[in-house]
Coordinates of all heavy atoms in Angstrom, one line a residue:
M1 N 91.1 121.2 84.8 CA 89.9 121.1 84.1 C 88.7 121.0 85.1 O 87.7 121.6 84.8 CB 89.9 119.8 83.3 CG 90.7 120.0 82.0 SD 90.8 118.5 81.1 CE 92.5 118.3 81.0
F2 N 88.9 120.3 86.2 CA 87.8 120.3 87.2 C 87.6 121.7 87.9 O 86.5 122.1 88.1 CB 88.1 119.3 88.3 CG 87.9 117.9 87.8 CD1 89.0 117.1 87.4 CD2 86.7 117.3 87.8 CE1 88.9 115.8 87.0 CE2 86.5 116.0 87.3 CZ 87.6 115.2 86.9
I3 N 88.7 122.4 88.1 CA 88.7 123.7 88.7 C 88.0 124.7 87.7 O 87.3 125.6 88.2 CB 90.1 124.2 89.0 CG1 90.7 123.3 90.2 CG2 90.1 125.6 89.5 CD1 92.1 123.5 90.5
A4 N 88.1 124.4 86.4 CA 87.3 125.3 85.5 C 85.8 125.2 85.7 O 85.1 126.1 85.3 CB 87.7 124.9 84.1
E5 N 85.4 124.1 86.3 CA 84.0 124.0 86.6 C 83.6 124.9 87.8 O 82.4 125.0 88.2 CB 83.6 122.6 87.0 CG 83.8 121.6 85.9 CD 82.7 121.8 84.8 OE1 81.5 122.1 85.1 OE2 83.0 121.6 83.6
Q6 N 84.6 125.6 88.4 CA 84.4 126.5 89.5 C 83.7 125.9 90.7 O 82.8 126.4 91.3 CB 83.6 127.8 89.1 CG 84.3 128.5 88.0 CD 83.5 129.7 87.5 OE1 82.4 130.0 87.9 NE2 84.1 130.5 86.6
R7 N 84.2 124.7 91.0 CA 83.7 123.9 92.1 C 84.9 123.4 92.9 O 85.9 123.1 92.3 CB 82.8 122.7 91.7 CG 81.5 123.1 91.1 CD 80.7 123.8 92.2 NE 79.3 123.8 92.1 CZ 78.4 122.8 92.1 NH1 78.8 121.6 91.9 NH2 77.2 123.0 92.1
E8 N 84.7 123.2 94.2 CA 85.7 122.6 95.1 C 85.7 121.1 94.7 O 84.6 120.5 94.8 CB 85.4 122.8 96.5 CG 86.3 122.2 97.5 CD 86.0 122.4 98.9 OE1 85.5 123.5 99.2 OE2 86.2 121.5 99.7
I9 N 86.8 120.6 94.4 CA 86.9 119.1 94.1 C 88.2 118.6 94.7 O 89.2 119.2 94.5 CB 86.7 118.9 92.6 CG1 86.5 117.4 92.4 CG2 87.8 119.5 91.8 CD1 85.8 117.1 91.0
N10 N 88.1 117.5 95.4 CA 89.3 116.9 96.0 C 89.7 115.6 95.2 O 89.0 115.2 94.3 CB 89.2 116.7 97.5 CG 88.0 115.8 97.8 OD1 87.8 114.8 97.1 ND2 87.3 116.0 98.9
A11 N 90.8 115.0 95.6 CA 91.3 113.8 95.0 C 90.3 112.7 95.0 O 90.1 111.9 94.1 CB 92.6 113.4 95.5
A12 N 89.6 112.5 96.1 CA 88.6 111.5 96.3 C 87.4 111.6 95.3 O 86.9 110.7 94.7 CB 88.1 111.4 97.7
L13 N 87.0 112.9 95.1 CA 85.9 113.2 94.1 C 86.4 112.9 92.7 O 85.7 112.3 91.9 CB 85.5 114.6 94.2 CG 84.5 114.9 95.3 CD1 84.4 116.4 95.6 CD2 83.1 114.3 95.0
I14 N 87.7 113.2 92.4 CA 88.2 112.9 91.1 C 88.3 111.4 90.9 O 88.0 110.9 89.8 CB 89.6 113.6 90.9 CG1 89.4 115.1 90.9 CG2 90.3 113.1 89.6 CD1 90.7 115.9 90.9
A15 N 88.7 110.7 91.9 CA 88.8 109.2 91.8 C 87.4 108.7 91.6 O 87.3 107.7 90.8 CB 89.4 108.7 93.1
T16 N 86.4 109.2 92.2 CA 85.0 108.7 92.0 C 84.6 109.0 90.5 O 84.1 108.1 89.8 CB 84.0 109.4 92.9 OG1 84.4 109.1 94.3 CG2 82.6 108.9 92.7
F17 N 84.9 110.2 90.0 CA 84.6 110.5 88.6 C 85.3 109.5 87.7 O 84.6 109.0 86.8 CB 84.9 111.9 88.3 CG 84.8 112.3 86.8 CD1 83.6 112.5 86.3 CD2 85.9 112.3 86.0 CE1 83.5 112.8 84.9 CE2 85.8 112.6 84.7 CZ 84.6 112.8 84.1
L18 N 86.6 109.3 87.9 CA 87.3 108.4 87.0 C 86.9 107.0 87.2 O 86.9 106.2 86.2 CB 88.8 108.6 87.3 CG 89.4 109.9 86.9 CD1 90.9 110.0 87.3 CD2 89.3 110.2 85.4
G19 N 86.5 106.6 88.4 CA 85.9 105.3 88.6 C 84.7 105.0 87.8 O 84.5 104.0 87.2
V20 N 83.8 106.0 87.8 CA 82.6 105.9 86.9 C 83.0 105.8 85.5 O 82.5 105.0 84.7 CB 81.6 107.2 87.1 CG1 80.5 107.1 86.2 CG2 81.1 107.2 88.6
A21 N 83.9 106.7 85.0 CA 84.3 106.7 83.6 C 84.9 105.4 83.2 O 84.5 104.8 82.2 CB 85.3 107.8 83.4
L22 N 85.8 104.9 84.0 CA 86.5 103.6 83.6 C 85.6 102.4 83.8 O 85.6 101.5 83.0 CB 87.8 103.5 84.5 CG 88.8 104.5 84.2 CD1 90.0 104.4 85.2 CD2 89.3 104.5 82.8
G23 N 84.8 102.4 84.9 CA 83.9 101.3 85.2 C 82.8 101.2 84.2 O 82.5 100.1 83.7
S24 N 82.3 102.3 83.7 CA 81.2 102.3 82.7 C 81.8 101.8 81.4 O 81.1 101.2 80.6 CB 80.5 103.6 82.6 OG 81.3 104.6 82.2
R25 N 83.0 102.1 81.1 CA 83.6 101.7 79.8 C 83.8 100.1 79.9 O 83.6 99.5 78.9 CB 84.9 102.4 79.6 CG 84.7 103.8 79.2 CD 86.0 104.4 78.7 NE 85.8 105.9 78.5 CZ 85.3 106.4 77.5 NH1 84.9 105.6 76.5 NH2 85.1 107.7 77.3
D26 N 84.1 99.6 81.1 CA 84.4 98.2 81.2 C 83.1 97.4 81.1 O 83.1 96.2 80.8 CB 85.0 97.8 82.5 CG 86.5 98.3 82.6 OD1 87.1 98.6 81.5 OD2 87.0 98.5 83.7
T27 N 81.9 98.0 81.5 CA 80.7 97.2 81.5 C 80.1 97.0 80.1 O 79.1 96.3 80.0 CB 79.7 97.9 82.4 OG1 79.4 99.2 82.0 CG2 80.1 97.9 83.9
G28 N 80.5 97.8 79.1 CA 80.0 97.5 77.8 C 78.7 98.2 77.4 O 78.6 99.4 77.7
A29 N 77.8 97.5 76.9 CA 76.6 98.0 76.3 C 75.9 99.0 77.0 O 75.6 100.1 76.5 CB 75.7 96.8 75.9
G30 N 75.5 98.8 78.3 CA 74.7 99.7 79.1 C 75.5 100.9 79.6 O 75.0 101.9 79.9
R31 N 76.8 100.7 79.7 CA 77.8 101.8 80.1 C 77.4 102.4 81.4 O 77.3 103.6 81.6 CB 77.9 102.8 79.0 CG 78.6 102.3 77.7 CD 78.8 103.3 76.7 NE 79.6 104.4 77.3 CZ 80.8 104.8 77.0 NH1 81.4 104.2 76.0 NH2 81.4 105.8 77.6
H32 N 77.1 101.5 82.4 CA 76.9 102.0 83.7 C 77.2 100.9 84.7 O 77.3 99.7 84.3 CB 75.4 102.5 84.0 CG 74.4 101.5 83.6 ND1 74.1 100.4 84.4 CD2 73.6 101.4 82.5 CE1 73.1 99.7 83.8 NE2 72.8 100.3 82.6
L33 N 77.5 101.3 85.9 CA 77.9 100.3 86.9 C 77.1 100.6 88.2 O 76.7 101.7 88.4 CB 79.4 100.2 87.2 CG 80.1 101.3 87.9 CD1 81.4 100.8 88.4 CD2 80.4 102.5 86.9
S34 N 77.0 99.6 89.1 CA 76.2 99.8 90.3 C 77.1 100.6 91.3 O 78.3 100.6 91.2 CB 75.9 98.4 90.9 OG 77.0 97.8 91.5
M35 N 76.4 101.2 92.2 CA 77.1 102.0 93.2 C 78.0 101.1 94.0 O 79.1 101.5 94.4 CB 76.0 102.7 94.1 CG 75.2 103.7 93.4 SD 76.1 105.2 93.0 CE 76.1 105.9 94.6
R36 N 77.5 99.9 94.3 CA 78.4 98.9 95.1 C 79.6 98.6 94.3 O 80.7 98.5 94.9 CB 77.5 97.6 95.3 CG 78.3 96.6 96.1 CD 77.4 95.5 96.6 NE 76.6 96.2 97.6 CZ 75.5 95.6 98.1 NH1 75.0 94.5 97.7 NH2 74.8 96.3 99.0
E37 N 79.5 98.3 93.0 CA 80.7 98.1 92.1 C 81.7 99.2 92.1 O 82.9 99.1 92.2 CB 80.3 97.7 90.7 CG 79.6 96.4 90.6 CD 78.9 96.3 89.2 OE1 78.5 97.3 88.6 OE2 78.8 95.1 88.7
L38 N 81.1 100.4 92.0 CA 81.9 101.6 92.1 C 82.7 101.8 93.4 O 83.9 102.0 93.4 CB 81.1 102.9 91.8 CG 81.8 104.2 91.9 CD1 82.9 104.3 90.9 CD2 80.8 105.3 91.6
A39 N 82.0 101.6 94.5 CA 82.6 101.7 95.8 C 83.8 100.7 95.9 O 84.9 101.0 96.4 CB 81.6 101.5 96.9
A40 N 83.6 99.5 95.5 CA 84.6 98.4 95.5 C 85.8 98.8 94.6 O 86.9 98.6 95.0 CB 84.0 97.1 95.2
Q41 N 85.5 99.3 93.5 CA 86.5 99.6 92.5 C 87.4 100.7 93.0 O 88.6 100.7 92.8 CB 85.8 100.1 91.2 CG 86.8 100.4 90.1 CD 86.1 100.8 88.8 OE1 85.1 100.1 88.4 NE2 86.5 101.8 88.1
I42 N 86.9 101.7 93.7 CA 87.7 102.8 94.1 C 88.1 102.8 95.6 O 88.7 103.7 96.1 CB 87.1 104.2 93.8 CG1 85.8 104.4 94.4 CG2 87.0 104.4 92.3 CD1 85.1 105.7 94.2
A43 N 87.7 101.7 96.2 CA 88.1 101.4 97.6 C 87.6 102.5 98.6 O 88.4 102.9 99.4 CB 89.5 101.1 97.7
L44 N 86.4 102.9 98.5 CA 85.8 103.9 99.4 C 84.5 103.3 99.9 O 83.8 102.5 99.2 CB 85.5 105.2 98.7 CG 86.7 106.1 98.3 CD1 86.3 107.3 97.5 CD2 87.5 106.5 99.6
P45 N 84.1 103.7 101.1 CA 82.8 103.2 101.7 C 81.6 103.6 100.8 O 81.6 104.7 100.2 CB 82.7 103.9 103.0 CG 84.1 104.4 103.3 CD 84.8 104.6 102.0
P46 N 80.6 102.8 100.7 CA 79.5 103.1 99.9 C 78.8 104.5 100.3 O 78.4 105.2 99.4 CB 78.5 102.0 100.1 CG 79.4 100.8 100.5 CD 80.5 101.4 101.2
S47 N 78.8 104.8 101.5 CA 78.2 106.1 101.9 C 79.0 107.3 101.4 O 78.4 108.3 101.0 CB 78.1 106.2 103.5 OG 79.4 106.1 104.0
T48 N 80.3 107.2 101.3 CA 81.1 108.2 100.8 C 80.9 108.3 99.3 O 80.8 109.4 98.7 CB 82.6 107.9 101.0 OG1 82.8 107.9 102.5 CG2 83.5 109.0 100.4
V49 N 80.9 107.2 98.6 CA 80.6 107.2 97.1 C 79.3 107.8 96.8 O 79.2 108.5 95.9 CB 80.8 105.7 96.6 CG1 80.3 105.6 95.1 CG2 82.2 105.2 96.7
S50 N 78.3 107.4 97.6 CA 76.9 108.0 97.4 C 77.0 109.5 97.5 O 76.4 110.2 96.6 CB 76.0 107.4 98.4 OG 74.7 108.0 98.2
R51 N 77.7 110.0 98.5 CA 77.8 111.5 98.6 C 78.5 112.1 97.4 O 78.1 113.1 96.9 CB 78.5 111.8 100.0 CG 78.5 113.2 100.4 CD 78.9 113.5 101.8 NE 80.2 112.9 102.1 CZ 80.4 111.8 102.8 NH1 79.4 111.1 103.3 NH2 81.6 111.3 103.1
H52 N 79.6 111.5 97.0 CA 80.4 111.9 95.9 C 79.5 112.0 94.6 O 79.6 112.9 93.8 CB 81.6 111.1 95.6 CG 82.7 111.2 96.6 ND1 83.9 110.5 96.6 CD2 82.8 112.0 97.7 CE1 84.6 110.9 97.6 NE2 84.0 111.8 98.3
V53 N 78.8 110.9 94.4 CA 77.9 110.8 93.2 C 76.9 111.9 93.2 O 76.6 112.5 92.1 CB 77.3 109.4 93.1 CG1 76.2 109.4 92.0 CG2 78.4 108.4 92.7
R54 N 76.3 112.2 94.3 CA 75.3 113.3 94.4 C 76.0 114.6 94.1 O 75.5 115.5 93.4 CB 74.7 113.4 95.8 CG 73.7 112.3 96.0 CD 72.8 112.5 97.2 NE 73.5 112.9 98.4 CZ 73.9 112.0 99.3 NH1 73.8 110.7 99.1 NH2 74.6 112.5 100.4
Y55 N 77.2 114.9 94.6 CA 78.0 116.1 94.3 C 78.3 116.2 92.8 O 78.2 117.2 92.2 CB 79.2 116.2 95.2 CG 80.0 117.5 95.1 CD1 79.6 118.6 95.9 CD2 81.0 117.7 94.2 CE1 80.2 119.8 95.8 CE2 81.7 118.9 94.1 CZ 81.3 119.9 94.9 OH 82.0 121.1 94.9
L56 N 78.8 115.1 92.3 CA 79.2 115.0 90.8 C 78.0 115.0 89.9 O 78.1 115.3 88.7 CB 80.1 113.8 90.6 CG 81.5 113.8 91.2 CD1 82.1 112.4 91.1 CD2 82.4 114.8 90.6
G57 N 76.9 114.7 90.5 CA 75.6 114.5 89.6 C 74.6 115.5 89.9 O 74.8 116.7 89.7
P58 N 73.4 115.1 90.4 CA 72.3 116.0 90.5 C 72.4 117.1 91.6 O 71.8 118.1 91.4 CB 71.1 115.0 90.8 CG 71.7 113.9 91.4 CD 73.1 113.7 90.8
G59 N 73.1 116.8 92.7 CA 73.2 117.8 93.7 C 73.1 117.1 95.1 O 72.6 116.0 95.3
I60 N 73.7 117.8 96.1 CA 73.8 117.2 97.4 C 72.5 117.3 98.1 O 72.0 116.4 98.8 CB 74.9 118.0 98.3 CG1 76.2 117.9 97.6 CG2 74.9 117.5 99.7 CD1 77.1 116.8 98.0
R61 N 71.8 118.4 98.0 CA 70.5 118.6 98.7 C 69.7 119.6 97.9 O 70.2 120.2 96.9 CB 70.7 119.1 100.1 CG 71.4 120.4 100.3 CD 71.6 120.9 101.7 NE 72.7 120.2 102.4 CZ 74.0 120.6 102.3 NH1 74.4 121.6 101.6 NH2 74.9 119.9 103.0
E62 N 68.4 119.7 98.3 CA 67.5 120.6 97.6 C 68.1 122.0 97.5 O 68.5 122.6 98.5 CB 66.2 120.6 98.3 CG 65.1 121.3 97.6 CD 64.6 120.5 96.4 OE1 64.6 119.3 96.4 OE2 64.2 121.2 95.4
G63 N 68.1 122.6 96.3 CA 68.6 123.9 96.1 C 70.1 124.0 95.9 O 70.6 125.1 95.5
E64 N 70.8 122.9 96.0 CA 72.2 123.0 95.7 C 72.5 122.1 94.5 O 72.5 120.9 94.6 CB 73.0 122.5 97.0 CG 74.5 122.6 96.8 CD 75.3 122.2 98.0 OE1 74.7 122.2 99.1 OE2 76.5 122.0 97.9
E65 N 72.8 122.7 93.4 CA 73.0 122.0 92.2 C 74.3 121.3 92.2 O 75.3 121.8 92.6 CB 72.9 123.0 91.0 CG 72.9 122.4 89.7 CD 72.7 123.4 88.6 OE1 71.9 124.3 88.8 OE2 73.4 123.3 87.5
G66 N 74.3 120.1 91.6 CA 75.5 119.3 91.5 C 76.3 119.7 90.2 O 75.9 120.6 89.5
M67 N 77.3 119.0 89.9 CA 78.2 119.3 88.7 C 77.6 118.8 87.4 O 78.0 119.2 86.4 CB 79.6 118.8 89.0 CG 80.3 119.4 90.1 SD 82.0 118.8 90.4 CE 82.8 119.6 89.0
G68 N 76.7 117.9 87.5 CA 76.1 117.3 86.3 C 77.0 116.4 85.4 O 76.7 116.3 84.2
L69 N 78.0 115.8 86.1 CA 78.9 115.0 85.3 C 78.5 113.5 85.3 O 78.9 112.8 84.4 CB 80.3 115.1 86.0 CG 80.9 116.5 86.0 CD1 82.2 116.5 86.8 CD2 81.2 117.0 84.5
V70 N 77.7 113.1 86.3 CA 77.2 111.7 86.3 C 75.7 111.7 86.6 O 75.2 112.7 87.0 CB 77.9 110.9 87.4 CG1 79.4 110.9 87.2 CG2 77.6 111.4 88.8
E71 N 75.1 110.6 86.3 CA 73.6 110.5 86.6 C 73.4 109.1 87.1 O 74.1 108.2 86.9 CB 72.8 110.8 85.4 CG 73.0 109.8 84.2 CD 72.2 110.1 83.0 OE1 71.4 111.0 83.0 OE2 72.5 109.5 81.9
L72 N 72.3 109.0 87.9 CA 71.9 107.8 88.5 C 70.7 107.2 87.7 O 69.9 108.0 87.2 CB 71.4 108.0 90.0 CG 72.5 108.4 91.0 CD1 71.8 108.9 92.2 CD2 73.4 107.2 91.2
V73 N 70.8 105.9 87.5 CA 69.7 105.2 86.8 C 69.3 104.0 87.6 O 70.1 103.4 88.3 CB 70.1 104.8 85.3 CG1 70.4 106.0 84.5 CG2 71.3 103.9 85.4
P74 N 68.0 103.8 87.7 CA 67.5 102.6 88.4 C 68.0 101.3 87.9 O 68.1 101.1 86.7 CB 66.0 102.7 88.3 CG 65.6 103.9 87.6 CD 66.9 104.5 87.0
S75 N 68.3 100.4 88.8 CA 68.7 99.0 88.3 C 67.5 98.3 87.8 O 66.4 98.4 88.4 CB 69.3 98.3 89.5 OG 69.5 96.9 89.2
L76 N 67.7 97.6 86.8 CA 66.6 96.8 86.2 C 66.4 95.5 87.0 O 65.3 94.9 87.1 CB 66.8 96.4 84.8 CG 67.0 97.6 83.8 CD1 67.3 97.1 82.4 CD2 65.7 98.4 83.8
D77 N 67.5 95.1 87.8 CA 67.4 93.8 88.5 C 66.9 94.0 90.0 O 66.4 93.1 90.6 CB 68.8 93.2 88.6 CG 69.4 92.9 87.2 OD1 68.6 92.6 86.3 OD2 70.6 93.0 87.0
D78 N 67.2 95.2 90.5 CA 66.9 95.4 92.0 C 66.3 96.9 92.1 O 67.0 97.8 91.9 CB 68.2 95.3 92.8 CG 68.0 95.5 94.2 OD1 66.9 96.0 94.7 OD2 69.0 95.3 95.0
G79 N 65.1 96.9 92.4 CA 64.4 98.2 92.5 C 65.0 99.2 93.5 O 64.8 100.4 93.4
R80 N 65.8 98.7 94.5 CA 66.4 99.6 95.5 C 67.7 100.1 95.0 O 68.2 101.1 95.5 CB 66.6 98.9 96.8 CG 65.3 98.4 97.4 CD 65.5 97.5 98.6 NE 66.1 96.3 98.2 CZ 67.0 95.6 98.8 NH1 67.3 96.0 100.0 NH2 67.5 94.5 98.3
A81 N 68.4 99.4 94.1 CA 69.7 99.7 93.7 C 69.7 100.8 92.6 O 68.8 100.9 91.8 CB 70.4 98.5 93.2
K82 N 70.8 101.5 92.6 CA 71.0 102.5 91.5 C 72.3 102.2 90.8 O 73.3 101.8 91.4 CB 71.1 103.9 92.1 CG 69.9 104.4 92.9 CD 68.8 104.9 91.9 CE 67.7 105.5 92.7 NZ 66.4 105.2 92.2
H83 N 72.3 102.6 89.5 CA 73.6 102.5 88.8 C 74.0 103.9 88.4 O 73.2 104.8 88.4 CB 73.3 101.7 87.5 CG 73.2 100.2 87.7 ND1 73.0 99.3 86.8 CD2 73.2 99.5 88.9 CE1 72.9 98.1 87.3 NE2 73.0 98.2 88.6
V84 N 75.2 104.1 88.1 CA 75.8 105.4 87.8 C 76.5 105.4 86.5 O 77.1 104.4 86.1 CB 76.7 105.9 89.0 CG1 77.9 105.0 89.2 CG2 77.1 107.3 88.8
R85 N 76.4 106.4 85.7 CA 77.1 106.6 84.4 C 77.4 108.0 84.2 O 76.8 108.9 84.8 CB 76.2 106.0 83.3 CG 74.9 106.8 83.1 CD 74.1 106.1 82.0 NE 72.8 106.8 81.8 CZ 71.8 106.3 81.3 NH1 71.8 105.0 80.9 NH2 70.7 107.0 81.2
L86 N 78.2 108.3 83.2 CA 78.6 109.6 82.9 C 77.4 110.3 82.1 O 76.8 109.6 81.3 CB 79.8 109.7 82.0 CG 81.2 109.3 82.7 CD1 82.3 109.4 81.7 CD2 81.4 110.1 83.9
T87 N 77.2 111.6 82.3 CA 76.3 112.3 81.4 C 77.1 112.8 80.2 O 78.3 112.5 80.1 CB 75.8 113.6 82.1 OG1 77.0 114.4 82.5 CG2 75.1 113.2 83.4
L88 N 76.5 113.4 79.3 CA 77.2 114.0 78.1 C 78.3 115.0 78.6 O 79.4 115.0 78.0 CB 76.2 114.6 77.1 CG 75.3 113.6 76.4 CD1 74.3 114.4 75.5 CD2 76.1 112.6 75.6
K89 N 77.9 115.7 79.6 CA 78.9 116.7 80.1 C 80.1 116.0 80.7 O 81.2 116.4 80.6 CB 78.2 117.6 81.2 CG 79.1 118.6 81.8 CD 78.3 119.5 82.7 CE 79.2 120.5 83.4 NZ 78.5 121.3 84.4
G90 N 79.8 114.9 81.4 CA 80.9 114.0 82.0 C 81.7 113.4 80.9 O 83.0 113.4 81.0
E91 N 81.1 112.9 79.8 CA 81.9 112.4 78.7 C 82.8 113.4 78.1 O 83.9 113.1 77.7 CB 80.9 111.8 77.6 CG 80.2 110.6 78.1 CD 81.0 109.3 77.9 OE1 82.1 109.3 77.3 OE2 80.5 108.2 78.3
A92 N 82.3 114.6 78.0 CA 83.1 115.7 77.4 C 84.3 116.1 78.3 O 85.4 116.3 77.8 CB 82.2 117.0 77.2
L93 N 84.0 116.1 79.6 CA 85.1 116.4 80.5 C 86.2 115.2 80.4 O 87.4 115.5 80.4 CB 84.6 116.6 81.9 CG 85.7 116.8 83.0 CD1 86.5 118.0 82.7 CD2 85.1 116.9 84.4
L94 N 85.7 114.0 80.4 CA 86.6 112.9 80.3 C 87.5 113.0 79.0 O 88.7 112.7 79.0 CB 85.8 111.5 80.3 CG 86.7 110.3 80.1 CD1 87.7 110.1 81.3 CD2 85.8 109.1 80.0
G95 N 86.8 113.4 77.9 CA 87.5 113.6 76.7 C 88.6 114.6 76.8 O 89.8 114.4 76.3
R96 N 88.3 115.7 77.5 CA 89.4 116.7 77.7 C 90.5 116.2 78.6 O 91.7 116.5 78.3 CB 88.7 118.0 78.3 CG 87.8 118.7 77.3 CD 87.4 120.1 77.7 NE 87.2 120.4 79.1 CZ 86.0 120.5 79.7 NH1 84.9 120.3 79.0 NH2 85.9 120.8 81.0
V97 N 90.2 115.4 79.6 CA 91.2 114.9 80.5 C 92.1 113.9 79.7 O 93.3 114.0 79.8 CB 90.5 114.1 81.7 CG1 91.5 113.3 82.4 CG2 89.8 115.1 82.6
L98 N 91.5 113.1 78.9 CA 92.3 112.1 78.1 C 93.2 112.8 77.0 O 94.3 112.4 76.8 CB 91.4 111.1 77.4 CG 90.6 110.2 78.3 CD1 89.7 109.3 77.6 CD2 91.6 109.3 79.1
M99 N 92.6 113.9 76.4 CA 93.4 114.7 75.5 C 94.6 115.3 76.2 O 95.7 115.4 75.6 CB 92.6 115.7 74.8 CG 91.5 115.2 73.9 SD 92.2 114.6 72.3 CE 92.6 116.1 71.6
A100 N 94.4 115.8 77.4 CA 95.5 116.5 78.1 C 96.6 115.5 78.6 O 97.7 115.9 78.7 CB 94.9 117.3 79.3
S101 N 96.2 114.3 78.8 CA 97.1 113.3 79.3 C 97.9 112.6 78.2 O 98.8 111.9 78.5 CB 96.4 112.3 80.2 OG 95.5 111.5 79.5
G102 N 97.4 112.7 77.0 CA 98.0 111.9 75.9 C 98.7 112.7 75.0 O 99.6 112.6 74.3

C-alpha cells in the first residue's frame, strides 16, 4: 500500500506513520500527539522523527513534496512545540492497512 504511493519508504518510516496513527487514537478528542511523545513511543531520536514527519507530511525541503499522510499543528501549550496527526489521506491509508490485516 505504501509502495502504491510511488515513494521510497522503509520500515522506520512505516513505524513513524503507525506511531502517529496509534498515538493520535490514544489521545482522544484532539487526535494528535507531540513530536516528543511520538519519538518516545517509537523509540527513535527526535531528529529522525522530525525528518520522517516532514517526508510523510508536507515535504523535506522546498520544492520536494511530501506524501501528505500527516500534518503538523502548533501546540496550544508551547509555541515552539508541534503536534502531529493524520491527514484525511493518512486516515484513508490507515483504513486500507487495517482492512488488509483483518
Side-chain angles (χ1 to χ4, degrees):
M1 284 178 235
F2 287 100
I3 293 170
E5 294 290 323
Q6 299 179 356
R7 287 302 204 52
E8 179 182 322
I9 190 158
N10 60 35
L13 278 164
I14 293 170
T16 301
F17 172 78
L18 294 175
V20 173
L22 297 174
S24 61
R25 290 189 185 279
D26 291 342
T27 59
R31 295 184 54 115
H32 52 76
L33 71 162
S34 74
M35 295 288 283
R36 180 168 291 166
E37 291 168 327
L38 176 59
Q41 181 177 315
I42 61 175
L44 288 173
S47 60
T48 300
V49 170
S50 179
R51 190 170 52 254
H52 287 180
V53 166
R54 286 193 313 270
Y55 187 85
L56 292 168
I60 302 264
R61 60 182 78 83
E62 190 70 31
E64 186 176 340
E65 189 174 320
M67 296 180 75
L69 300 173
V70 302
E71 64 184 348
L72 292 168
V73 294
S75 168
L76 298 177
D77 302 327
D78 179 352
R80 297 171 297 147
K82 300 278 189 220
H83 288 182
V84 62
R85 65 181 175 205
L86 293 179
T87 61
L88 291 176
K89 183 178 177 182
E91 290 279 353
L93 178 60
L94 178 62
R96 292 196 322 261
V97 169
L98 294 175
M99 292 285 289
S101 68

